[in-house]
Amino acid sequence: MQEDIKKIESQALGEINNAKDYRRLDELRIKYLGRKSQINQLFSKIPQLTQEERAGLGRRLNSLKEAVSKAIEDKMKDFTAKDKAIDVTLPADEIYFGRKHILSAVSERICNIFEKIGFVVVEGTETEDEWHNFSALNIPLEHPSREAFDTFYLDISARNSKSGKYLLRSHTSPSQIRVMEKTKPPFAVISPGRVYRPDKVDASHSFMFHQVEGFCVDEGIKFSHLKGVLLHFAKNFFGNDVSLRFRPHFFPFTEPSAEVDISCMICKGAGCSVCSRKGWLEILGCGMIHPNVLKACRINPSKYSGFAFGMGVERITMLKYGINDIRLFYENDIRFLTQFYE
Ligand code: PHE
Protein backbone atom coordinates (compact mmCIF):
# COMPACT_ATOMS: atom_id res chain seq x y z
CA MET A 1 0.00 0.00 0.00
CA GLN A 2 2.84 2.38 0.89
CA GLU A 3 4.30 1.64 -2.54
CA ASP A 4 0.99 2.50 -4.21
CA ILE A 5 0.82 5.80 -2.40
CA LYS A 6 4.36 6.75 -3.38
CA LYS A 7 3.66 5.87 -6.99
CA ILE A 8 0.45 7.93 -7.08
CA GLU A 9 2.24 10.87 -5.50
CA SER A 10 5.14 11.02 -7.92
CA GLN A 11 2.88 10.45 -10.91
CA ALA A 12 0.41 13.14 -9.82
CA LEU A 13 3.07 15.73 -9.07
CA GLY A 14 4.85 14.98 -12.35
CA GLU A 15 1.68 15.31 -14.40
CA ILE A 16 0.62 18.52 -12.66
CA ASN A 17 4.04 19.98 -13.27
CA ASN A 18 3.83 19.19 -16.96
CA ALA A 19 0.30 20.50 -17.39
CA LYS A 20 0.16 23.04 -20.21
CA ASP A 21 -3.14 24.76 -19.58
CA TYR A 22 -6.10 25.23 -17.22
CA ARG A 23 -8.07 22.43 -18.92
CA ARG A 24 -5.39 19.85 -18.33
CA LEU A 25 -5.07 21.03 -14.75
CA ASP A 26 -8.79 20.54 -14.22
CA GLU A 27 -8.60 17.02 -15.66
CA LEU A 28 -5.82 16.22 -13.21
CA ARG A 29 -7.79 17.65 -10.31
CA ILE A 30 -10.65 15.27 -11.11
CA LYS A 31 -8.25 12.40 -11.74
CA TYR A 32 -6.45 12.72 -8.38
CA LEU A 33 -8.93 14.41 -6.07
CA GLY A 34 -12.31 13.52 -7.55
CA ARG A 35 -14.75 11.02 -6.09
CA LYS A 36 -13.52 8.16 -8.24
CA SER A 37 -9.85 8.94 -7.83
CA GLN A 38 -7.29 6.35 -6.80
CA ILE A 39 -6.71 8.24 -3.60
CA ASN A 40 -10.39 8.05 -2.67
CA GLN A 41 -10.40 4.36 -3.43
CA LEU A 42 -7.54 3.87 -1.01
CA PHE A 43 -9.50 5.83 1.61
CA SER A 44 -12.38 3.40 1.21
CA LYS A 45 -10.08 0.53 2.15
CA ILE A 46 -9.40 1.95 5.59
CA PRO A 47 -12.26 0.20 7.42
CA GLN A 48 -10.75 -3.18 6.46
CA LEU A 49 -7.51 -2.47 8.28
CA THR A 50 -6.39 -3.03 11.85
CA GLN A 51 -6.60 -0.19 14.36
CA GLU A 52 -2.89 0.78 14.11
CA GLU A 53 -2.77 0.52 10.33
CA ARG A 54 -5.82 2.78 10.02
CA ALA A 55 -4.29 5.81 11.71
CA GLY A 56 -1.05 5.60 9.76
CA LEU A 57 -2.73 5.23 6.39
CA GLY A 58 -5.27 7.93 7.11
CA ARG A 59 -2.52 10.41 7.86
CA ARG A 60 -0.47 9.38 4.87
CA LEU A 61 -3.44 9.71 2.49
CA ASN A 62 -4.42 13.10 3.87
CA SER A 63 -0.96 14.48 3.37
CA LEU A 64 -0.92 13.10 -0.16
CA LYS A 65 -4.21 14.86 -0.86
CA GLU A 66 -2.84 18.09 0.53
CA ALA A 67 0.35 17.84 -1.53
CA VAL A 68 -1.65 17.29 -4.72
CA SER A 69 -4.08 20.20 -4.04
CA LYS A 70 -1.17 22.50 -3.26
CA ALA A 71 0.65 21.52 -6.46
CA ILE A 72 -2.50 22.24 -8.48
CA GLU A 73 -3.01 25.59 -6.75
CA ASP A 74 0.61 26.64 -7.34
CA LYS A 75 0.42 25.69 -10.99
CA MET A 76 -2.80 27.70 -11.29
CA LYS A 77 -1.05 30.78 -9.84
CA ASP A 78 1.75 30.25 -12.30
CA PHE A 79 -0.69 30.33 -15.18
CA THR A 80 -2.43 33.48 -13.88
CA ALA A 81 0.85 35.31 -13.44
CA LYS A 82 1.95 34.40 -16.95
CA ASP A 83 -1.44 35.41 -18.35
CA LYS A 84 -1.07 38.80 -16.75
CA ALA A 85 2.37 39.28 -18.20
CA ILE A 86 1.39 38.47 -21.74
CA ASP A 87 -2.22 39.51 -22.24
CA VAL A 88 -1.62 42.48 -24.53
CA THR A 89 -5.32 42.81 -25.26
CA LEU A 90 -6.22 44.05 -21.78
CA PRO A 91 -6.86 47.81 -21.66
CA ALA A 92 -3.91 49.58 -20.05
CA ASP A 93 -4.29 50.88 -16.50
CA GLU A 94 -4.25 54.63 -16.39
CA ILE A 95 -1.37 55.75 -14.21
CA TYR A 96 -1.27 59.15 -12.55
CA PHE A 97 2.09 60.21 -11.25
CA GLY A 98 1.93 62.42 -8.21
CA ARG A 99 3.76 65.70 -8.47
CA LYS A 100 4.28 68.83 -6.47
CA HIS A 101 1.47 71.35 -6.42
CA ILE A 102 2.32 74.17 -8.78
CA LEU A 103 2.55 76.67 -5.89
CA SER A 104 5.04 74.47 -3.99
CA ALA A 105 7.01 73.94 -7.17
CA VAL A 106 7.17 77.68 -7.90
CA SER A 107 8.11 78.56 -4.29
CA GLU A 108 10.92 76.02 -4.45
CA ARG A 109 12.06 77.30 -7.82
CA ILE A 110 12.20 80.87 -6.51
CA CYS A 111 14.18 79.75 -3.46
CA ASN A 112 16.57 77.74 -5.65
CA ILE A 113 17.38 80.76 -7.77
CA PHE A 114 18.37 82.70 -4.65
CA GLU A 115 20.13 79.77 -3.01
CA LYS A 116 22.44 79.55 -6.00
CA ILE A 117 23.70 83.05 -5.23
CA GLY A 118 24.24 82.38 -1.55
CA PHE A 119 20.87 82.92 0.12
CA VAL A 120 19.86 80.44 2.82
CA VAL A 121 16.29 79.19 3.22
CA VAL A 122 14.73 79.88 6.64
CA GLU A 123 11.05 79.30 7.26
CA GLY A 124 9.17 81.50 9.70
CA THR A 125 6.00 80.64 11.61
CA GLU A 126 2.42 81.06 10.40
CA THR A 127 1.14 82.00 13.84
CA GLU A 128 2.85 85.19 14.82
CA ASP A 129 2.47 87.94 17.39
CA GLU A 130 2.01 91.68 17.00
CA TRP A 131 5.63 92.39 17.74
CA HIS A 132 6.98 90.34 14.84
CA ASN A 133 4.17 91.05 12.38
CA PHE A 134 3.98 94.81 13.12
CA SER A 135 5.87 96.63 15.87
CA ALA A 136 9.37 95.38 15.11
CA LEU A 137 8.67 96.13 11.45
CA ASN A 138 8.17 99.80 12.31
CA ILE A 139 4.39 99.57 12.16
CA PRO A 140 3.35 101.20 15.47
CA LEU A 141 0.20 100.25 17.36
CA GLU A 142 -2.85 102.26 16.22
CA HIS A 143 -0.94 103.42 13.15
CA PRO A 144 -3.15 103.41 10.04
CA SER A 145 -0.57 101.34 8.16
CA ARG A 146 -1.65 98.36 10.27
CA GLU A 147 -4.88 98.49 8.32
CA ALA A 148 -2.99 97.99 5.07
CA PHE A 149 -2.06 94.60 6.43
CA ASP A 150 -5.53 93.56 7.52
CA THR A 151 -5.10 90.65 9.84
CA PHE A 152 -6.82 87.62 11.39
CA TYR A 153 -6.31 87.93 15.14
CA LEU A 154 -6.39 84.88 17.34
CA ASP A 155 -8.32 85.05 20.57
CA ILE A 156 -5.18 84.49 22.64
CA SER A 157 -2.73 86.99 24.12
CA ALA A 158 0.95 86.28 23.72
CA ARG A 159 3.03 85.60 26.80
CA ASN A 160 4.42 89.08 27.33
CA SER A 161 3.12 92.56 26.69
CA LYS A 162 5.77 93.32 24.07
CA SER A 163 4.47 90.49 21.89
CA GLY A 164 0.84 91.70 22.02
CA LYS A 165 -1.81 89.43 20.55
CA TYR A 166 -1.32 86.28 18.55
CA LEU A 167 -2.39 86.40 14.93
CA LEU A 168 -2.00 84.66 11.58
CA ARG A 169 0.85 86.47 9.88
CA SER A 170 -0.34 88.82 7.15
CA HIS A 171 3.01 88.79 5.33
CA THR A 172 6.33 86.92 5.44
CA SER A 173 8.23 90.00 6.64
CA PRO A 174 8.14 88.80 10.30
CA SER A 175 10.68 86.20 9.13
CA GLN A 176 13.12 89.11 8.86
CA ILE A 177 12.66 89.86 12.56
CA ARG A 178 12.87 86.19 13.59
CA VAL A 179 16.22 85.86 11.83
CA MET A 180 17.64 89.26 12.88
CA GLU A 181 16.78 88.67 16.53
CA LYS A 182 18.87 85.51 16.53
CA THR A 183 21.58 85.96 13.92
CA LYS A 184 24.40 88.42 13.62
CA PRO A 185 25.05 89.94 10.16
CA PRO A 186 26.17 89.20 7.54
CA PHE A 187 23.30 87.04 6.29
CA ALA A 188 21.23 86.57 3.18
CA VAL A 189 17.96 84.70 3.71
CA ILE A 190 15.09 83.57 1.52
CA SER A 191 11.89 82.67 3.39
CA PRO A 192 8.81 81.11 1.74
CA GLY A 193 5.45 80.46 3.36
CA ARG A 194 1.72 80.96 3.77
CA VAL A 195 0.17 84.27 4.79
CA TYR A 196 -3.40 85.17 5.73
CA ARG A 197 -5.58 88.23 5.19
CA PRO A 198 -9.31 88.61 5.73
CA ASP A 199 -10.00 89.39 2.08
CA LYS A 200 -13.20 88.53 0.28
CA VAL A 201 -12.40 85.70 -2.12
CA ASP A 202 -12.58 86.61 -5.80
CA ALA A 203 -10.55 86.00 -8.97
CA SER A 204 -7.52 87.82 -7.57
CA HIS A 205 -7.97 87.57 -3.75
CA SER A 206 -7.84 84.75 -1.27
CA PHE A 207 -7.83 84.74 2.54
CA MET A 208 -4.70 82.57 2.40
CA PHE A 209 -1.88 82.86 -0.11
CA HIS A 210 1.87 82.40 -0.38
CA GLN A 211 4.78 84.81 -0.30
CA VAL A 212 8.53 84.58 -0.56
CA GLU A 213 10.55 87.06 1.48
CA GLY A 214 14.19 87.81 0.81
CA PHE A 215 16.62 89.93 2.80
CA CYS A 216 20.29 90.55 3.18
CA VAL A 217 22.20 92.49 5.83
CA ASP A 218 25.89 93.36 5.87
CA GLU A 219 28.19 96.35 6.02
CA GLY A 220 27.86 98.49 2.92
CA ILE A 221 24.72 96.95 1.41
CA LYS A 222 23.24 99.39 -1.11
CA PHE A 223 20.15 99.74 -3.27
CA SER A 224 22.25 98.68 -6.26
CA HIS A 225 22.76 95.27 -4.63
CA LEU A 226 19.00 94.90 -4.38
CA LYS A 227 18.60 95.84 -8.03
CA GLY A 228 21.23 93.37 -9.15
CA VAL A 229 19.79 90.50 -7.13
CA LEU A 230 16.23 91.13 -8.34
CA LEU A 231 17.30 91.44 -11.97
CA HIS A 232 19.14 88.14 -11.62
CA PHE A 233 15.99 86.57 -10.22
CA ALA A 234 13.65 88.00 -12.89
CA LYS A 235 15.88 86.84 -15.75
CA ASN A 236 16.11 83.34 -14.30
CA PHE A 237 12.43 83.05 -13.53
CA PHE A 238 10.74 84.87 -16.42
CA GLY A 239 13.39 84.71 -19.12
CA ASN A 240 16.49 86.55 -20.19
CA ASP A 241 14.74 89.26 -22.16
CA VAL A 242 12.74 90.62 -19.21
CA SER A 243 13.28 94.21 -18.00
CA LEU A 244 12.61 95.59 -14.52
CA ARG A 245 11.13 98.91 -13.48
CA PHE A 246 11.43 100.26 -9.93
CA ARG A 247 8.60 102.61 -8.90
CA PRO A 248 8.90 104.62 -5.66
CA HIS A 249 6.48 103.31 -3.05
CA PHE A 250 5.92 103.28 0.71
CA PHE A 251 6.39 100.44 3.17
CA PRO A 252 6.87 101.20 6.89
CA PHE A 253 9.72 98.69 7.17
CA THR A 254 11.83 99.88 4.23
CA GLU A 255 13.24 103.27 3.28
CA PRO A 256 13.50 104.00 0.43
CA SER A 257 10.84 101.57 -0.81
CA ALA A 258 9.85 100.52 -4.29
CA GLU A 259 7.42 98.37 -6.18
CA VAL A 260 8.97 96.40 -8.99
CA ASP A 261 7.37 95.70 -12.35
CA ILE A 262 8.51 93.37 -15.10
CA SER A 263 7.99 94.16 -18.75
CA CYS A 264 4.83 92.32 -19.86
CA MET A 265 5.89 89.01 -21.34
CA ILE A 266 2.78 88.78 -23.49
CA CYS A 267 3.23 92.04 -25.44
CA LYS A 268 6.91 92.69 -24.55
CA GLY A 269 6.01 96.13 -23.25
CA ALA A 270 3.83 97.28 -26.15
CA GLY A 271 0.62 97.17 -24.10
CA CYS A 272 -2.06 94.45 -24.12
CA SER A 273 -5.08 93.31 -22.09
CA VAL A 274 -2.98 91.30 -19.60
CA CYS A 275 -0.98 94.39 -18.56
CA SER A 276 -3.99 96.73 -18.99
CA ARG A 277 -2.15 98.44 -21.88
CA LYS A 278 0.62 99.55 -19.52
CA GLY A 279 3.33 97.23 -20.81
CA TRP A 280 4.37 96.50 -17.20
CA LEU A 281 3.25 94.03 -14.51
CA GLU A 282 3.86 94.49 -10.79
CA ILE A 283 5.65 91.54 -9.19
CA LEU A 284 6.97 92.56 -5.77
CA GLY A 285 7.63 95.13 -3.05
CA CYS A 286 11.10 95.93 -1.78
CA GLY A 287 13.43 98.49 -0.26
CA MET A 288 16.31 99.17 2.09
CA ILE A 289 15.54 97.85 5.59
CA HIS A 290 14.44 100.77 7.78
CA PRO A 291 16.96 101.70 10.53
CA ASN A 292 14.18 101.30 13.11
CA VAL A 293 13.75 97.67 12.08
CA LEU A 294 17.47 96.99 12.51
CA LYS A 295 17.39 98.75 15.88
CA ALA A 296 14.39 96.67 17.03
CA CYS A 297 16.57 93.60 16.45
CA ARG A 298 19.64 95.11 18.14
CA ILE A 299 21.56 95.52 14.92
CA ASN A 300 23.49 98.77 14.72
CA PRO A 301 22.12 100.76 11.73
CA SER A 302 25.19 102.98 11.55
CA LYS A 303 27.33 99.93 10.91
CA TYR A 304 24.99 97.65 8.98
CA SER A 305 22.48 98.12 6.19
CA GLY A 306 20.30 95.71 4.29
CA PHE A 307 17.68 95.22 1.64
CA ALA A 308 14.43 93.26 1.73
CA PHE A 309 11.81 92.20 -0.78
CA GLY A 310 8.59 90.24 -0.72
CA MET A 311 6.66 88.68 -3.57
CA GLY A 312 3.34 86.88 -3.96
CA VAL A 313 3.78 83.35 -5.27
CA GLU A 314 0.22 83.09 -6.68
CA ARG A 315 0.63 86.40 -8.45
CA ILE A 316 3.85 85.59 -10.25
CA THR A 317 2.62 82.08 -11.07
CA MET A 318 -0.50 83.59 -12.63
CA LEU A 319 1.62 85.99 -14.65
CA LYS A 320 4.02 83.33 -15.80
CA TYR A 321 1.37 80.81 -16.88
CA GLY A 322 -1.43 83.15 -17.89
CA ILE A 323 -3.81 81.93 -15.15
CA ASN A 324 -6.70 84.33 -14.63
CA ASP A 325 -8.33 83.10 -11.41
CA ILE A 326 -6.50 82.56 -8.11
CA ARG A 327 -9.19 80.12 -6.91
CA LEU A 328 -7.96 77.53 -9.41
CA PHE A 329 -4.92 76.94 -7.19
CA TYR A 330 -6.99 75.76 -4.25
CA GLU A 331 -9.70 73.67 -5.91
CA ASN A 332 -7.34 70.76 -6.55
CA ASP A 333 -8.97 69.90 -9.85
CA ILE A 334 -6.63 67.35 -11.34
CA ARG A 335 -7.28 68.69 -14.86
CA PHE A 336 -5.83 72.03 -13.79
CA LEU A 337 -2.97 70.71 -11.66
CA THR A 338 -1.62 68.21 -14.20
CA GLN A 339 -0.93 70.97 -16.71
CA PHE A 340 2.16 72.17 -14.90
CA TYR A 341 5.61 70.69 -14.94
CA GLU A 342 7.93 72.92 -12.99
N1 PHE B 1 5.64 92.62 3.23
C1 PHE B 1 5.25 93.35 2.06
C2 PHE B 1 3.86 92.89 1.62
O1 PHE B 1 3.32 91.98 2.13
C3 PHE B 1 6.22 93.16 0.93
C4 PHE B 1 7.60 93.70 1.23
C5 PHE B 1 8.56 92.87 1.79
C6 PHE B 1 7.93 95.00 0.93
C7 PHE B 1 9.82 93.34 2.06
C8 PHE B 1 9.19 95.49 1.20
C9 PHE B 1 10.15 94.65 1.76
O2 PHE B 1 3.27 93.44 0.75
Side-chain angles (χ1 to χ4, degrees):
M1 190 101 66
Q2 293 295 341
E3 283 304 300
D4 287 348
I5 294 177
K6 260 199 199 128
K7 234 170 81 189
I8 298 171
E9 178 156 35
S10 70
Q11 192 189 334
L13 296 183
E15 284 181 357
I16 292 167
N17 193 35
N18 289 332
K20 294 268 172 317
D21 52 27
Y22 288 112
R23 232 174 86 188
R24 175 72 183 139
L25 213 50
D26 206 42
E27 282 168 17
L28 293 171
R29 189 177 55 77
I30 295 166
K31 179 171 172 190
Y32 288 104
L33 302 174
R35 238 179 337 118
K36 295 189 196 137
S37 69
Q38 278 173 291
I39 299 179
N40 251 3
Q41 283 168 22
L42 288 175
F43 266 115
S44 66
K45 290 197 179 135
I46 289 180
Q48 301 157 19
L49 301 173
T50 63
Q51 196 73 30
E52 301 97 85
E53 285 172 329
R54 277 184 201 183
L57 183 67
R59 240 181 281 127
R60 185 72 185 89
L61 284 175
N62 276 328
S63 74
L64 169 61
K65 239 174 131 171
E66 258 170 45
V68 173
S69 330
K70 173 139 195 336
I72 291 175
E73 233 174 71
D74 287 352
K75 193 71 183 174
M76 194 84 92
K77 277 191 198 141
D78 248 29
F79 284 157
T80 338
K82 278 198 190 112
D83 273 0
K84 271 205 185 126
I86 58 160
D87 189 352
V88 293
T89 64
L90 282 172
D93 287 341
E94 230 178 302
I95 300 172
Y96 288 108
F97 288 104
R99 68 188 75 177
K100 281 185 185 137
H101 190 282
I102 178 65
L103 293 176
S104 310
V106 168
S107 291
E108 272 177 35
R109 167 114 195 268
I110 297 169
C111 290
N112 283 342
I113 294 172
F114 287 100
E115 279 178 291
K116 281 199 181 132
I117 52 171
F119 283 69
V120 175
V121 176
V122 179
E123 286 185 54
T125 53
E126 286 177 34
T127 311
E128 266 299 357
D129 52 43
E130 288 183 297
W131 166 256
H132 292 90
N133 198 75
F134 295 123
S135 318
L137 284 163
N138 198 35
I139 311 173
L141 202 65
E142 312 303 340
H143 192 276
S145 63
R146 283 203 183 202
E147 278 160 34
F149 298 95
D150 238 0
T151 304
F152 283 114
Y153 279 89
L154 302 177
D155 206 4
I156 323 167
S157 291
R159 252 158 289 153
N160 56 55
S161 58
K162 178 178 133 186
S163 310
K165 292 200 198 85
Y166 281 125
L167 45 79
L168 297 180
R169 66 176 173 188
S170 52
H171 52 171
T172 42
S173 299
S175 295
Q176 293 182 37
I177 308 303
R178 295 258 162 213
V179 169
M180 288 196 263
E181 280 175 338
K182 275 194 279 182
T183 321
K184 286 206 174 350
F187 47 73
V189 169
I190 190 84
S191 185
R194 289 200 183 97
V195 303
Y196 300 83
R197 289 182 197 177
D199 279 334
K200 200 160 157 272
V201 176
D202 62 23
S204 50
H205 293 87
S206 162
F207 53 84
M208 183 280 300
F209 55 101
H210 299 75
Q211 288 188 330
V212 176
E213 188 88 5
F215 49 98
C216 169
V217 178
D218 197 358
E219 288 177 43
I221 294 291
K222 302 195 212 61
F223 202 92
S224 53
H225 294 123
L226 172 63
K227 281 180 88 173
V229 162
L230 290 180
L231 187 61
H232 172 82
F233 160 73
K235 282 181 184 286
N236 271 271
F237 189 83
F238 291 105
N240 229 358
D241 53 351
V242 78
S243 332
L244 287 191
R245 179 172 80 168
F246 286 72
R247 269 182 297 107
H249 196 75
F250 172 78
F251 294 107
F253 31 90
T254 45
E255 181 60 33
S257 305
E259 272 189 340
V260 174
D261 303 333
I262 54 166
S263 48
C264 176
M265 53 269 201
I266 309 289
C267 61
K268 307 276 175 236
C272 67
S273 62
V274 173
C275 58
S276 319
R277 324 254 154 242
K278 290 188 195 117
W280 295 94
L281 296 160
E282 183 218 315
I283 58 159
L284 57 83
C286 66
M288 300 306 291
I289 299 176
H290 196 289
N292 287 351
V293 175
L294 295 173
K295 269 190 233 159
C297 305
R298 296 179 211 287
I299 292 174
N300 180 357
S302 49
K303 182 165 181 208
Y304 292 107
S305 55
F307 63 72
F309 57 85
M311 60 184 104
V313 178
E314 278 80 350
R315 184 171 169 80
I316 70 168
T317 308
M318 288 167 83
L319 293 177
K320 181 159 180 191
Y321 292 101
I323 298 164
N324 58 13
D325 195 319
I326 196 170
R327 290 168 290 202
L328 289 165
F329 290 120
Y330 315 119
E331 283 165 358
N332 284 336
D333 184 331
I334 204 105
R335 292 167 302 178
F336 171 75
L337 295 176
T338 49
Q339 291 176 66
F340 306 102
Y341 292 91
E342 257 290 336

